[in-house]
Coordinates of all heavy atoms in Angstrom, one line a residue:
A192 N 62.6 152.8 55.7 CA 61.9 152.8 57.0 C 61.7 154.3 57.3 O 62.6 155.1 57.2 CB 62.9 152.2 58.1
T193 N 60.4 154.6 57.6 CA 60.0 156.0 57.9 C 59.7 156.1 59.4 O 59.0 155.3 59.9 CB 58.8 156.4 57.1 OG1 59.1 156.2 55.7 CG2 58.5 157.9 57.3
F194 N 60.3 157.1 60.0 CA 60.2 157.3 61.5 C 59.2 158.5 61.7 O 59.4 159.5 61.0 CB 61.5 157.5 62.1 CG 62.5 156.4 61.8 CD1 63.4 156.5 60.8 CD2 62.5 155.3 62.6 CE1 64.3 155.5 60.5 CE2 63.4 154.2 62.3 CZ 64.3 154.4 61.3
A195 N 58.3 158.3 62.6 CA 57.3 159.4 62.9 C 57.2 159.5 64.4 O 57.2 158.6 65.2 CB 56.0 159.1 62.3
D196 N 57.0 160.8 64.8 CA 56.8 161.1 66.2 C 55.8 162.2 66.3 O 56.1 163.4 65.9 CB 58.1 161.4 66.9 CG 57.9 161.7 68.4 OD1 56.7 161.7 68.9 OD2 58.9 161.8 69.1
T197 N 54.6 162.0 66.7 CA 53.5 163.0 66.7 C 53.8 164.1 67.8 O 53.3 165.2 67.7 CB 52.1 162.4 67.0 OG1 52.2 161.7 68.3 CG2 51.7 161.5 65.9
T198 N 54.7 163.8 68.7 CA 55.0 164.8 69.7 C 56.2 165.7 69.4 O 56.5 166.7 70.0 CB 55.4 164.1 71.1 OG1 56.5 163.3 71.0 CG2 54.2 163.3 71.6
A199 N 56.9 165.4 68.2 CA 58.1 166.1 67.8 C 57.7 167.3 66.9 O 56.7 167.3 66.2 CB 59.1 165.2 67.1
E200 N 58.6 168.3 66.9 CA 58.4 169.4 66.0 C 58.6 168.9 64.5 O 59.4 168.1 64.3 CB 59.5 170.4 66.3 CG 59.0 171.8 66.5 CD 60.2 172.8 66.8 OE1 60.8 173.3 65.9 OE2 60.5 172.9 68.0
S201 N 57.8 169.5 63.6 CA 57.9 169.1 62.2 C 59.3 169.4 61.7 O 59.9 170.5 62.0 CB 56.9 170.0 61.4 OG 57.0 169.6 60.1
G202 N 59.9 168.5 61.0 CA 61.2 168.6 60.4 C 62.4 168.3 61.4 O 63.5 168.5 61.0
S203 N 62.1 168.0 62.6 CA 63.1 167.7 63.6 C 63.6 166.2 63.5 O 62.8 165.4 63.1 CB 62.7 168.1 65.0 OG 61.6 167.2 65.4
T204 N 64.8 166.0 64.0 CA 65.3 164.6 64.0 C 65.0 164.1 65.4 O 65.4 164.8 66.4 CB 66.8 164.6 63.7 OG1 67.0 165.1 62.4 CG2 67.3 163.2 63.8
F205 N 64.4 162.9 65.6 CA 64.1 162.4 66.9 C 64.6 161.0 67.1 O 64.2 160.4 68.1 CB 62.6 162.6 67.2 CG 61.7 162.2 66.0 CD1 61.5 160.9 65.6 CD2 61.2 163.3 65.2 CE1 60.8 160.6 64.5 CE2 60.5 163.0 64.1 CZ 60.2 161.7 63.7
I206 N 65.4 160.5 66.2 CA 66.0 159.2 66.5 C 67.5 159.4 66.7 O 68.1 160.3 66.1 CB 65.8 158.2 65.3 CG1 66.4 158.7 64.0 CG2 64.3 157.9 65.2 CD1 66.4 157.6 62.9
T207 N 68.1 158.5 67.5 CA 69.6 158.6 67.7 C 70.2 157.8 66.5 O 69.8 156.6 66.3 CB 69.9 157.9 69.0 OG1 69.3 158.7 70.1 CG2 71.4 157.9 69.2
I208 N 71.0 158.4 65.7 CA 71.5 157.8 64.5 C 72.6 156.8 65.0 O 73.6 157.2 65.6 CB 72.1 158.9 63.6 CG1 71.1 160.0 63.3 CG2 72.7 158.3 62.3 CD1 69.8 159.5 62.7
P209 N 72.5 155.6 64.5 CA 73.5 154.5 64.9 C 74.8 154.7 64.1 O 74.8 155.3 63.0 CB 72.8 153.2 64.5 CG 71.9 153.6 63.4 CD 71.4 155.0 63.7
G210 N 75.9 154.3 64.7 CA 77.1 154.4 64.1 C 77.2 153.4 62.9 O 78.0 153.6 61.9
D211 N 76.5 152.3 63.0 CA 76.5 151.3 62.0 C 75.1 150.8 61.7 O 74.5 150.1 62.4 CB 77.4 150.1 62.5 CG 77.4 148.9 61.5 OD1 77.1 149.1 60.3 OD2 77.9 147.8 61.9
W212 N 74.6 151.3 60.5 CA 73.2 150.9 60.1 C 73.0 149.5 59.8 O 72.0 148.9 59.9 CB 72.8 151.8 58.9 CG 72.2 153.1 59.3 CD1 72.9 154.3 59.2 CD2 70.9 153.4 59.8 NE1 72.0 155.3 59.6 CE2 70.8 154.7 60.0 CE3 69.8 152.6 60.0 CZ2 69.6 155.4 60.4 CZ3 68.6 153.2 60.5 CH2 68.6 154.6 60.7
S213 N 74.1 148.8 59.5 CA 74.0 147.4 59.1 C 73.6 146.5 60.3 O 73.1 145.4 60.1 CB 75.3 146.8 58.4 OG 76.3 146.8 59.4
S214 N 73.7 147.0 61.5 CA 73.3 146.2 62.6 C 71.9 146.6 63.0 O 71.3 145.9 63.9 CB 74.2 146.4 63.8 OG 74.2 147.7 64.2
V215 N 71.3 147.6 62.5 CA 70.0 148.2 62.8 C 69.0 147.9 61.7 O 67.9 147.5 62.0 CB 70.1 149.7 63.1 CG1 68.8 150.3 63.3 CG2 71.0 149.9 64.3
F216 N 69.3 148.1 60.5 CA 68.4 148.0 59.3 C 68.9 146.8 58.6 O 69.9 146.8 57.9 CB 68.6 149.2 58.5 CG 67.5 149.4 57.5 CD1 67.2 150.7 56.9 CD2 66.7 148.4 57.0 CE1 66.3 150.9 56.0 CE2 65.7 148.6 56.1 CZ 65.5 149.9 55.5
T217 N 68.2 145.7 58.7 CA 68.6 144.4 58.0 C 67.6 144.1 56.9 O 66.4 144.3 57.1 CB 68.7 143.2 59.0 OG1 67.5 143.0 59.6 CG2 69.8 143.5 60.0
L218 N 68.1 143.5 55.9 CA 67.3 143.0 54.8 C 67.9 141.6 54.4 O 69.0 141.6 53.9 CB 67.2 143.9 53.6 CG 66.5 143.4 52.4 CD1 65.0 143.4 52.6 CD2 66.8 144.3 51.2
V219 N 67.1 140.6 54.6 CA 67.7 139.2 54.3 C 66.7 138.5 53.4 O 65.5 138.7 53.5 CB 67.9 138.4 55.5 CG1 69.0 139.0 56.4 CG2 66.7 138.2 56.4
E220 N 67.2 137.7 52.5 CA 66.4 136.9 51.6 C 65.9 135.7 52.4 O 66.6 135.0 53.1 CB 67.2 136.3 50.4 CG 66.3 135.6 49.4 CD 67.1 135.2 48.2 OE1 68.3 135.5 48.1 OE2 66.5 134.5 47.3
V221 N 64.5 135.5 52.4 CA 63.9 134.3 53.1 C 64.5 133.0 52.4 O 64.4 132.9 51.2 CB 62.4 134.4 53.0 CG1 61.8 133.1 53.6 CG2 61.9 135.6 53.8
G222 N 65.0 132.1 53.2 CA 65.6 130.9 52.7 C 67.0 131.1 52.2 O 67.6 130.1 51.8
G223 N 67.5 132.3 52.4 CA 68.9 132.5 51.9 C 69.9 132.2 53.0 O 69.6 131.6 54.0
D224 N 71.1 132.7 52.9 CA 72.2 132.4 53.9 C 72.2 133.3 55.1 O 73.1 133.3 55.9 CB 73.5 132.3 53.2 CG 74.0 133.7 52.6 OD1 73.2 134.7 52.8 OD2 75.0 133.7 52.0
G225 N 71.3 134.3 55.1 CA 71.2 135.2 56.3 C 72.0 136.5 56.1 O 72.1 137.3 57.0
T226 N 72.7 136.6 55.0 CA 73.5 137.8 54.7 C 72.6 139.1 54.7 O 71.6 139.1 54.0 CB 74.2 137.7 53.4 OG1 75.1 136.5 53.5 CG2 75.1 138.9 53.1
N227 N 73.0 140.1 55.4 CA 72.3 141.4 55.4 C 72.6 142.1 54.1 O 73.7 142.4 53.8 CB 72.7 142.2 56.6 CG 71.9 143.5 56.6 OD1 70.9 143.7 55.9 ND2 72.3 144.4 57.5
L228 N 71.6 142.3 53.2 CA 71.8 142.9 51.9 C 71.8 144.4 52.1 O 72.1 145.1 51.1 CB 70.6 142.5 51.0 CG 70.6 141.0 50.8 CD1 69.3 140.6 49.9 CD2 71.8 140.5 50.1
C229 N 71.4 144.9 53.2 CA 71.4 146.4 53.5 C 72.6 146.7 54.2 O 72.7 146.7 55.5 CB 70.1 146.8 54.3 SG 70.0 148.5 54.6
T230 N 73.7 147.0 53.5 CA 75.0 147.2 54.1 C 75.2 148.6 54.6 O 76.1 148.9 55.4 CB 76.1 146.9 53.1 OG1 75.9 147.6 51.9 CG2 76.1 145.4 52.8
S231 N 74.3 149.5 54.1 CA 74.4 150.9 54.6 C 73.0 151.5 54.4 O 72.1 150.9 53.7 CB 75.4 151.7 53.9 OG 75.1 151.9 52.5
A232 N 72.8 152.7 55.0 CA 71.5 153.3 54.8 C 71.7 154.8 54.7 O 72.6 155.4 55.3 CB 70.6 153.1 56.0
L233 N 70.9 155.4 53.8 CA 71.0 156.9 53.7 C 69.8 157.4 54.4 O 68.6 157.0 54.2 CB 70.8 157.2 52.2 CG 70.6 158.7 51.8 CD1 71.8 159.5 52.2 CD2 70.3 158.8 50.4
I234 N 70.0 158.3 55.4 CA 68.9 158.9 56.1 C 68.7 160.3 55.7 O 69.6 161.1 55.5 CB 69.1 158.8 57.6 CG1 67.9 159.3 58.4 CG2 70.3 159.5 58.1 CD1 67.5 158.5 59.5
T235 N 67.4 160.6 55.4 CA 67.0 162.0 55.1 C 66.4 162.6 56.4 O 65.3 162.2 56.8 CB 65.9 162.0 54.0 OG1 66.4 161.2 52.9 CG2 65.6 163.4 53.5
F236 N 67.1 163.5 57.0 CA 66.7 164.0 58.3 C 65.4 164.8 58.3 O 64.6 164.7 59.2 CB 67.8 164.9 58.9 CG 69.0 164.1 59.3 CD1 70.2 164.2 58.6 CD2 69.0 163.2 60.4 CE1 71.3 163.4 58.9 CE2 70.1 162.5 60.7 CZ 71.3 162.6 60.0

Side-chain angles (χ1 to χ4, degrees):
T193 303
F194 304 95
D196 185 350
T197 58
T198 64
E200 230 180 89
S201 179
S203 65
T204 300
F205 39 79
I206 63 170
T207 301
I208 306 302
D211 179 14
W212 272 101
S213 67
S214 65
V215 174
F216 195 160
T217 59
L218 176 70
V219 296
E220 185 176 358
V221 173
D224 64 5
T226 300
N227 183 9
L228 303 173
C229 185
T230 56
S231 65
L233 170 67
I234 183 137
T235 308
F236 291 107

